[in-house]
Structures are given as C-alpha cells and as structure tokens.
C-alpha cells in the first residue's frame, strides 16, 4: 500500500501528484505516501491559485496561512546574504540579529496565538524555537541546528545527519531526551495535534536536505501550505548556515484526499489538469 511518488521539480507538482493519486484510492486515503520536491520553493502560480480559490469559497484558510504555521516568513527580515566561515563579523551579526528578531517577534505573539482554538496544544513554529512550545524560554531547536551546521562548516566538515527537530515528542519528558521521538508509556491522550511529528535535516556535501513526517496529511486543506512552509524553513536554515538547499521529502503515514470536502477533490483535480 505504500507509495513513493516520482520526484518533481516544483512543490505544486508534488502536491498535485499526491492528490491525484490519493483521490482514486479506496475511501480517498492511502498509507505511507512520500512526495519529493527537487527544488523547494518553486511553484506553479496557477495551481496554487486554483486551490486558494477552492478554499476561499468554503471560508477556509488559504495556502499562505497554513504555511505560516511552519515558518512565519512575514516576521523574518532577510539580510540578503548567507553565512559562511569567512564572513565579516558585522555581517555575521546581521544574520544573527535577523534570526533573533524572528524568534522574538513570534514569541511575543505566542500568548495570543495560543488563545485560538486550533492552537490550544501549541504551534509548530513555537515547538521549533521554544520547545515544548507553550511559552518563551524553552529550547530553541532551530538555533541549535544552525549553530551545529555552522560549526561543521567552520571545521571543514560538509556532512552531518544528526540534525533532527522534535515536533511531537512528549512535553512531559526531560529535555535531555529531546531529539528522540518518544511518548511516555502512560500517555493515553488522543492526539489531533500535531500531525507533523518529526523533521529530519541531513547535511550532505554541503547541501541541506529535509524529511518531514506527518501522521495524517490532509491534502486539500493542509498539504500545499505545509510544503510551502517547509520550503521556507529550509531556505531560512540555508541562509543562516551557508548550506545549499537540497531535496524536500514529505512522508505521510496516512494521506487523505478529504473526499467529503465541499471543494470536491475529484473536480479540483480535473480543474487543475486543465491548467497544467
């Protein structure tokens, strides 16, 4: 039942291929579906616009809103250059300040964000920059990964595969276990959040690759925005570390074409096929 879809050049192709495949499966679902984007960030504007129109007609958040849950790009002011071991001190400080300001702006908004019903269990980005994500002062996983990659480059190393980011690790466990996807054996909660459970970063020959594992991927309402958000996260990390941007793989242990969605997934597939 598992399905490794063909690698695509753009995230629009990856999303559409996943939707077109899954919509034809029994109950519009399949297990262990993996999509690969060779150039994270590249999109087909017509495909995204078609999805955004379908979501807007149902009063649902568009692609940009979903993407912002993973990386709030509006809060990051890029200095316009990337880190390198021989970067001048002033330029390096500008990169550090840009990242620090991003974290600070988001955490200042976090108390308000947590008041929204969908955020009661936390937000993805908060778990990345202040794990376990309910308040400021937690472990900043992004900052730690950035520092690690920079130190590898500074030592002349261009490969590292120990750069995991926790999303769904149990918040009750000690921080010493951060990096291991594990739940307390006594934990019997039904987990609607987070669907994104794990992000794995691999540095290989100076190129940063990303694998994101989702326990349930909603292909109409969430998947496209998730791909955009993950792509933006990758580009942020690459700018902050000087790594090249590599492949993005999204693995859905359950892919859901949402056959009962008012947007009518089959009709959406046919409409997009007419565009591409």
């Amino acid at each position: 039942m598992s399905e490794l879809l063909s690698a695509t050049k753009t995230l629009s192709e990856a999303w559409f291929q996943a939707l077109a495949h899954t919509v034809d499966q029994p109950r519009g679902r399949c297990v262990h579906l993996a999509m690969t984007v060779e150039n994270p960030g590249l999109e087909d504007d017509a495909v995204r616009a078609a999805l955004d129109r379908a979501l807007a007609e149902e009063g649902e958040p568009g692609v940009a809103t979903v993407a912002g849950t993973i990386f709030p790009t509006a809060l990051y002011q890029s200095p316009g250059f990337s880190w390198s071991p021989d970067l001048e001190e002033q330029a390096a400080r500008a990169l550090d300040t840009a990242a620090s300001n991003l974290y600070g702006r988001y955490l200042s908004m976090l108390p308000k964000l947590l008041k929204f019903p969908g955020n009661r269990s936390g937000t993805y980005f908060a778990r990345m920059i202040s794990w376990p994500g309910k308040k400021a002062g937690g472990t900043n996983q992004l900052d730690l990964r950035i520092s690690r990659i920079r130190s590898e480059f500074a030592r002349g190393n261009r490969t590292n595969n120990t750069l995991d980011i926790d999303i769904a690790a149990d918040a009750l466990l000690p921080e010493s276990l951060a990096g291991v996807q594990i739940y307390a054996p006594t934990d019997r909660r039904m987990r609607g959040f987070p669907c994104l459970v794990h992000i794995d970063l691999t540095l290989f020959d100076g190129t940063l690759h990303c694998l994101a594992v989702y326990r349930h991927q909603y292909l109409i309402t969430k998947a496209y925005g998730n791909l955009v958000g993950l792509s933006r996260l990758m580009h942020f990390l690459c700018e902050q570390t000087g790594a090249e941007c590599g492949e993005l793989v999204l693995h859905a242990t359950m892919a859901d074409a949402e056959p009962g969605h008012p947007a009518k997934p089959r009709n959406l597939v046919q409409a997009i096929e007419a565009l591409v």
Side-chain angles (χ1 to χ4, degrees), residues 7-47:
T8 64
K9 296 295 184 183
T10 71
L11 59 85
S12 303
E13 294 174 272
W15 168 78
F16 178 68
Q17 186 178 208
L19 177 62
H21 172 81
T22 307
V23 78
D24 286 331
Q25 304 306 307
R27 294 190 293 166
R29 292 181 175 181
C30 64
V31 299
H32 293 301
L33 180 140
M35 57 188 89
T36 302
V37 185
E38 295 178 345
N39 298 288
L42 291 183
E43 295 184 66
D44 184 322
D45 292 340
V47 173

Side-chain angles (χ1 to χ4, degrees), residues 12 57 79 98 102 156 172 186 188 209 215 222:
S12 303
E57 288 174 0
L102 165 66
L172 301 178
T186 56
R188 298 183 179 182
H209 303 276
R215 60 165 59 102
K222 302 293 185 182

